[in-house]
Amino acid sequence: MFTEVLVALALGGLLLFIFQRNRKQVLKTEDGWWGPGAPPDAQEDVSIHPFQIKTSAEELQDLYRRIDQTRPVLSLEDSQFNYGFNSQYLQEVVSYWRNDFDWKRQVEKLNQYQHFKTNIEGIDIHFLHVKPKRVPKETEVVPIIMVHGWPGSFYEFYGLIPLLCDPSERDNLVFEVICPSIPGYGFSEAPHKKGFDSVCAARIFHKLMKRLGFQQFYAHGGDWGWLVTTNMAQLEPKIVKGLHVNFAPPSKPGLSMVLSLLLGNRFPKLFGFNGVDIQRLYPCMEKQVVEPIKETGYMHIQATKPDTVGRALNDSPVGLAAYILEKFSTWTCNDFRNLEDGGLTRKFSLDDLLTNVMIYWTSGCITSSMRFYKENFAKGLYQPHSKMPVYVPTGFACFPKELMHTPKLWVKQKYHQLKSYTTMARGGHFALQTCSLSPCALSSSCAVNSGSDFRILYEV
């Protein structure tokens, strides 16, 4: 009898262990208050207001005055972009900004889509809401939220929006696009209290989508947008019907990742590695240690003391432009470090690059945008969401010049329902912005492949 009880208890414990292990985890979160002071006793205002980006002669005069008073610093001979933004080329960019760039015209371009604001958890959230202009019969309208990163903005999706909102002849669906600004970025109000991380942003964006009337929707993200939308899928896996990301660094290295790094170069088929994986991962020390160190100094600053450098950048438009645009050079292709002009206009136009800089300058958001690093890293590298799989159907776009390469094996460890892993022909960290805004050949291929990934998720 005693033996039978022990066996029953052991079997019960084993079944409980298997059940707990296989149970799909859901990320937990609690409502917050990010406005100034204590939350009011009154009921939350859920109204949504139209918003329009504006400029003025005074704003431009102040900008020009600051530009005119900049103090150039000579770059070292034969240094190109290896020491940061080349000073000689910076003077050319600044000259264009001061004399040729038409901010008023760009404001009109920004306002071509409808902008709105609504207050959630005490702060005003800015977002675009773009509906398809025509919906043919038997065509389904699919809502998708698209989230940017740093040092990007909602503007990075401007070229992609019409490709998603125009119905395709070969598909019976069209997208309704919502592009919010992460709190502290662009025209979304910055949190007034410490602790606002990616999970908080994910919770707020869920509330935004619910306020807009969407019971289910799809999500896309790159850079910080990858983490925010991933957290959205972890918070509400039944509401996020599909997830698409173009950046997915491993959040918690596991045994299979370590083994694949150690043995993948010698036994690539064992880990499903292809030629691109081998090229991007090896030599391991150079690609996984030395190269990231070269490009992550900014991250250490922003994850520790963002307000110090933020104060300087918020006061100097030229300094701000150099700090932001240097990322658009090297993160697009690290070989651009060896070019006198950083290769900036090979993938972007100066108008588009400076429009993004002006969003940071006119909103004064550079400091609060950098605090997002501090808030996310301050809680440690292994927060609950980093250990938690994603069970939502997921598509991943792998760009060959991305800062960190993530093989399919590593992506599947996090995203258990990986439905598509698309290796793109060209592109780097800002690939969707490149394909959206640049007239180069990448445009069509990127748009087609990204649209295909979205549609694959829809068909699941």
Side-chain angles (χ1 to χ4, degrees), residues 218-427:
Y218 294 80
H220 163 79
D223 195 87
W224 278 126
W226 139 74
L227 186 55
V228 173
T229 53
T230 293
N231 292 159
M232 292 179 75
Q234 292 170 319
L235 285 170
E236 299 284 358
K238 293 182 179 180
I239 291 178
V240 179
K241 294 188 68 177
L243 173 66
H244 184 268
V245 293
N246 58 279
F247 184 64
S251 53
K252 186 181 180 183
L255 179 61
S256 60
M257 177 184 169
V258 174
L259 288 176
S260 67
L261 270 177
L262 291 175
L263 304 174
N265 196 21
R266 180 167 296 209
F267 307 104
K269 291 184 179 180
L270 182 64
F271 302 99
F273 285 180
N274 57 29
V276 174
D277 297 324
I278 299 301
Q279 182 182 4
R280 291 299 314 278
L281 294 176
Y282 303 98
C284 194
M285 179 60 70
E286 177 188 339
K287 299 293 179 68
Q288 307 304 316
V289 179
V290 176
E291 189 61 34
I293 287 176
K294 288 181 180 179
E295 293 302 325
T296 53
Y298 82 97
M299 185 185 296
H300 187 72
I301 293 172
Q302 294 176 192
T304 53
K305 302 292 180 64
D307 284 27
T308 304
V309 67
R311 178 59 189 264
L313 298 176
N314 195 56
D315 208 47
S316 169
V318 176
L320 179 68
Y323 196 73
I324 289 177
L325 296 185
E326 183 259 320
K327 306 307 178 192
F328 279 85
S329 165
T330 309
W331 293 2
T332 297
C333 176
N334 57 14
D335 291 336
F336 286 176
R337 287 189 298 242
N338 301 317
L339 301 176
E340 297 293 340
D341 64 356
L344 269 180
T345 55
R346 294 191 178 192
K347 301 296 182 182
F348 309 99
S349 72
L350 283 181
D351 280 347
D352 287 328
L353 291 169
L354 290 171
T355 296
N356 184 62
V357 172
M358 285 294 286
I359 290 171
Y360 277 82
W361 176 256
T362 58
S363 65
C365 73
I366 186 61
T367 303
S368 54
S369 73
M370 295 191 299
R371 286 175 185 159
F372 204 53
Y373 286 80
K374 172 78 171 179
E375 303 298 6
N376 280 286
F377 285 103
K379 297 179 181 179
L381 296 177
Y382 300 124
Q383 298 181 52
H385 65 78
S386 70
K387 310 169 189 175
M388 189 178 297
V390 175
Y391 300 101
V392 168
T394 303
F396 179 74
C398 176
F399 288 92
K401 296 297 182 179
E402 179 57 87
L403 285 170
M404 179 177 290
H405 180 68
T406 312
K408 187 175 182 179
L409 173 68
W410 300 1
V411 178
K412 289 179 70 174
Q413 288 180 353
K414 181 71 174 182
Y415 302 91
H416 286 196
Q417 288 200 59
L418 184 67
K419 301 300 181 182
S420 69
Y421 182 99
T422 306
T423 301
M424 311 300 282
R426 293 175 294 277

Side-chain angles (χ1 to χ4, degrees), residues 127-148:
F127 63 97
L128 306 178
H129 189 177
V130 187
K131 300 179 181 180
K133 293 182 178 180
R134 64 182 184 90
V135 181
K137 289 184 179 180
E138 300 182 359
T139 298
E140 183 173 358
V141 178
V142 179
I144 183 169
I145 183 171
M146 306 183 76
V147 185
H148 63 88

Side-chain angles (χ1 to χ4, degrees), residues 121-257:
E121 297 192 6
I123 51 178
D124 286 338
I125 305 301
H126 161 258
F127 63 97
L128 306 178
H129 189 177
V130 187
K131 300 179 181 180
K133 293 182 178 180
R134 64 182 184 90
V135 181
K137 289 184 179 180
E138 300 182 359
T139 298
E140 183 173 358
V141 178
V142 179
I144 183 169
I145 183 171
M146 306 183 76
V147 185
H148 63 88
W150 187 94
S153 65
F154 63 89
Y155 182 57
E156 62 194 59
F157 301 120
Y158 260 54
L160 198 57
I161 287 172
L163 301 175
L164 295 174
C165 291
D166 285 345
S168 169
E169 294 180 359
R170 58 189 177 85
D171 295 303
N172 61 342
L173 73 151
V174 65
F175 291 94
E176 180 174 345
V177 179
I178 296 87
C179 293
S181 294
I182 297 173
Y185 287 71
F187 303 106
S188 279
E189 185 178 354
H192 294 262
K193 294 175 172 60
K194 297 185 292 183
F196 189 93
D197 61 8
S198 62
V199 177
C200 299
R203 182 181 64 244
I204 280 182
F205 288 164
H206 264 297
K207 291 183 177 182
L208 170 64
M209 296 299 280
K210 184 176 181 181
R211 190 169 293 184
L212 291 172
F214 299 116
Q215 300 304 312
Q216 289 183 311
F217 54 86
Y218 294 80
H220 163 79
D223 195 87
W224 278 126
W226 139 74
L227 186 55
V228 173
T229 53
T230 293
N231 292 159
M232 292 179 75
Q234 292 170 319
L235 285 170
E236 299 284 358
K238 293 182 179 180
I239 291 178
V240 179
K241 294 188 68 177
L243 173 66
H244 184 268
V245 293
N246 58 279
F247 184 64
S251 53
K252 186 181 180 183
L255 179 61
S256 60
M257 177 184 169

